[in-house]
Amino acid sequence: MIKLININDIDNNNMIQISVNNQNYLVAKVNNRLYVTEDMCTHEDAELTMGCLSGTKVKCPLHGSYFDLTSGVALNEPADEPIKTYNTVIKDNHLYIDE
């Protein structure tokens, strides 16, 4: 498992980028639930954390594609490939992912 963040270090209905071992992750807290995905749009090289969060969807800042944080599915063009999502575990107030 990879340790990402203390769960109190992210505000509700917000997202941040966490870098571990040269890999960038998008960590979002929506309605007090945590989601972790890769932080790169599958259409072009754009960090999704530079976009905006709308519920459990994140909007790419470059061309406006939305991705579902729960499944990774691209919800509109131009992106058509999903982003990778990660299973999360909370232990001792820290967020971990299975890699």
Side-chain angles (χ1 to χ4, degrees):
M1 287 197 305
I2 298 173
K3 182 178 180 180
L4 293 183
I5 189 174
N6 184 304
I7 61 171
N8 298 314
D9 289 343
I10 182 170
D11 294 328
N12 200 33
N13 299 314
N14 202 358
M15 64 179 169
I16 57 173
Q17 182 186 79
I18 302 294
S19 297
V20 178
N21 299 327
N22 295 319
Q23 174 71 39
N24 293 332
Y25 300 95
L26 178 155
V27 178
K29 186 186 247 184
V30 179
N31 296 323
N32 292 310
R33 178 152 184 226
L34 291 161
Y35 301 91
V36 180
T37 70
E38 64 181 323
D39 190 29
M40 191 63 64
C41 179
T42 57
H43 172 247
E44 293 220 4
D45 290 339
E47 293 176 343
L48 294 173
T49 49
M50 299 302 291
C52 32
L53 189 63
S54 176
T56 57
K57 299 182 294 188
V58 62
K59 182 180 179 183
C60 176
L62 202 55
H63 294 112
S65 291
Y66 279 91
F67 294 90
D68 185 332
L69 296 175
T70 62
S71 64
V73 170
L75 300 172
N76 63 305
E77 295 183 347
D80 55 8
E81 295 293 318
I83 55 173
K84 184 173 182 177
T85 60
Y86 296 90
N87 293 323
T88 60
V89 175
I90 297 172
K91 182 177 178 184
D92 298 326
N93 283 340
H94 284 86
L95 175 66
Y96 295 83
I97 57 170
D98 289 328
E99 183 67 344

